[in-house]
Amino acid sequence: MQKNSVVRIFMTFALILTSMNLAAKDNEKVENGGKEGLRTEIKEFIAHHLQDSHDFTFFSDEKEHKYYGFPLPVILWDEGLKVFSSSKFHHGQTVAEVGGSYYKLYHSKIYKTDAEGTINYDESHHATNEKPLDFSITKNVVSMLLIGLLMFFMFRSLARSYKKNNGMPSGVGRFLEPLVLFVRDEIAIPNIGEKKYRKYMSFLLTIFFFIWFLNLLGMTPLGVNVTGNIAVTFGLALLTFLITNLTANKNYWGHIFWMPGVPTFMKVVLAPIELLGVFIKPFSLMIRLYANMTAGHVVIMSIVGMMFLFKSWIGSPLSFGLAFALSILELLVAALQAYIFTMLAALYFGMANEEAHH
């Protein structure tokens, strides 16, 4: 509650300052079509940041069309496998010709088109061009691979330090060991039990550090938004769902389909509701992580954008201070979301292995 109150106070200040600034300069014209054009540019930048990308760009100059980064491999299935570099798209400015077919990068998605790059639209202004199956190595995929390699080397170092120093960690292991013990003693054992927690520890540790490190990577200027991609959170939730139900015992399924100690009529009524809950639990995991991380990115970038809208000696510094304070808060949220996802996963595992009560 205290955290939410602080956020509300910050947001109220920002809204007041925005209103004052817009009222004072409502008729003022600035370059590039005025403030309305600047607002549109900020919105497009935020939308671009939240989307995945077929190239890894560190920074760019949109006006000069200069991009500093490196291309990534594009892998398509369109009447056969087609592999080429994303540099052929030139960040969506040109059409890529591959094997006699033409493809255009439009809003971070690849569409099949003609040599002129024509995009057709429906009544809702949605692209209707055919989309090939896209298995490309995107920025999010590269980020996940990098975090996976980082975790591998970090924990291999921890394991080697245990072997070398008779069970005493050294180097980066001194940072990792308290966190590993925290996941074991405060998450796994209390929710699963001392008898069965060990078989889930590898997954719980992986999911905790994987989400946390990806959240931290999203706080960097690289513009990575992996955990704000619903496809990624869906994959994490799906793994939790499969592990929960494939390792569940008969008591778990008995409490879902034929609850003991409940009248027969109520068993028939409650069974569909309990079965629906089996799917709602991982769905809530998916939405919670996705929505929280996406909202954090949108709020921070929106407040940073206010600095360019204010253009005053009081508004811009206040926007900077507010963005800085929320960035510090977002560091806490990055760890908190990893903890919540791991805690709920352990809770579901514990429910799946609950012993019968007499």
Side-chain angles (χ1 to χ4, degrees):
M1 293 300 293
Q2 292 179 353
K3 182 185 75 173
N4 292 335
S5 300
V6 173
V7 174
R8 290 193 189 99
I9 292 172
F10 281 142
M11 292 305 297
T12 303
F13 259 113
L15 291 173
I16 292 173
L17 290 171
T18 305
S19 301
M20 292 173 60
N21 186 71
L22 294 178
K25 299 186 177 182
D26 186 49
N27 297 321
E28 182 180 345
K29 298 296 181 180
V30 294
E31 295 180 358
N32 301 324
K35 282 193 174 182
E36 199 61 41
L38 183 58
R39 290 194 194 97
T40 302
E41 186 177 344
I42 292 173
K43 290 179 182 178
E44 291 176 352
F45 178 82
I46 294 174
H48 177 74
H49 169 80
L50 295 176
Q51 293 176 344
D52 199 359
S53 175
H54 284 79
D55 52 74
F56 207 113
T57 303
F58 298 109
F59 57 92
S60 62
D61 185 346
E62 297 291 342
K63 293 182 180 179
E64 299 294 331
H65 297 291
K66 293 182 179 180
Y67 302 88
Y68 303 91
F70 56 89
L72 297 172
V74 177
I75 306 172
L76 303 178
W77 182 267
D78 182 31
E79 299 178 356
L81 186 65
K82 297 181 179 179
V83 182
F84 57 96
S85 172
S86 63
S87 60
K88 283 195 171 187
F89 291 121
H90 293 284
H91 303 276
Q93 298 175 26
T94 60
V95 177
E97 191 274 327
V98 182
S101 299
Y102 297 91
Y103 303 97
K104 183 175 179 62
L105 185 63
Y106 182 70
H107 290 318
S108 299
K109 295 181 181 179
I110 298 176
Y111 294 90
K112 197 169 183 178
T113 181
D114 52 25
E116 288 74 29
T118 305
I119 298 293
N120 301 313
Y121 303 93
D122 59 15
E123 296 178 355
S124 302
H125 201 70
H126 295 148
T128 58
N129 292 50
E130 180 184 352
K131 288 194 296 184
L133 290 176
D134 192 354
F135 301 97
S136 304
I137 307 298
T138 62
K139 178 191 283 189
N140 285 351
V141 175
V142 172
S143 301
M144 287 188 286
L145 291 174
L146 290 175
I147 293 299
L149 288 173
L150 176 65
M151 290 173 57
F152 172 77
F153 287 114
M154 289 176 67
F155 283 99
R156 188 178 69 164
S157 175
L158 175 61
R160 286 183 173 179
S161 68
Y162 277 138
K163 185 177 181 180
K164 183 178 179 180
N165 302 318
N166 296 321
M168 293 296 292
S170 62
V172 70
R174 294 186 178 182
F175 167 75
L176 293 175
E177 186 187 49
L179 295 173
V180 172
L181 295 178
F182 172 79
V183 173
R184 185 194 69 182
D185 298 337
E186 302 297 331
I187 298 179
I189 293 178
N191 291 287
I192 304 174
E194 293 191 15
K195 293 182 179 179
K196 298 184 178 180
Y197 81 91
R198 292 182 181 275
K199 66 179 180 180
Y200 298 104
M201 273 299 293
S202 58
F203 177 78
L204 294 176
L205 287 173
T206 301
I207 210 72
F208 176 80
F209 286 100
F210 186 69
I211 294 175
W212 185 29
F213 289 167
L214 283 175
N215 289 346
L216 292 177
L217 185 62
M219 296 293 296
T220 64
L222 293 176
V224 179
N225 182 39
V226 180
T227 48
N229 187 318
I230 199 166
V232 175
T233 60
F234 170 78
L236 298 176
L238 180 62
L239 286 175
T240 306
F241 170 78
L242 293 175
I243 294 174
T244 300
N245 292 284
L246 292 177
T247 62
N249 58 27
K250 62 180 182 180
N251 298 314
Y252 171 77
W253 295 111
H255 279 79
I256 292 176
F257 292 106
W258 207 250
M259 290 138 282
V262 178
T264 303
F265 172 74
M266 291 303 299
K267 290 180 180 179
V268 175
V269 173
L270 292 176
I273 299 175
E274 291 292 331
L275 182 61
L276 184 61
V278 172
F279 299 95
I280 291 176
K281 291 172 185 175
F283 180 78
S284 67
L285 282 178
M286 174 185 71
I287 296 298
R288 180 183 290 104
L289 180 59
Y290 160 74
N292 278 282
M293 300 314 301
T294 300
H297 285 276
V298 171
V299 169
I300 291 176
M301 287 188 293
S302 298
I303 295 173
V304 170
M306 289 181 183
M307 291 187 288
F308 300 93
L309 287 173
F310 282 138
K311 290 189 176 180
S312 63
W313 66 271
I314 185 171
S316 295
L318 284 175
S319 296
F320 174 80
L322 181 58
F324 178 77
L326 288 179
S327 297
I328 299 299
L329 184 62
E330 194 69 11
L331 290 175
L332 174 62
V333 173
L336 184 63
Q337 289 303 315
Y339 168 77
I340 291 174
F341 196 103
T342 309
M343 172 67 79
L344 290 176
L347 180 62
Y348 299 156
F349 297 157
M351 294 170 61
N353 289 272
E354 188 176 4
E355 298 295 337
H357 298 288
H358 300 283

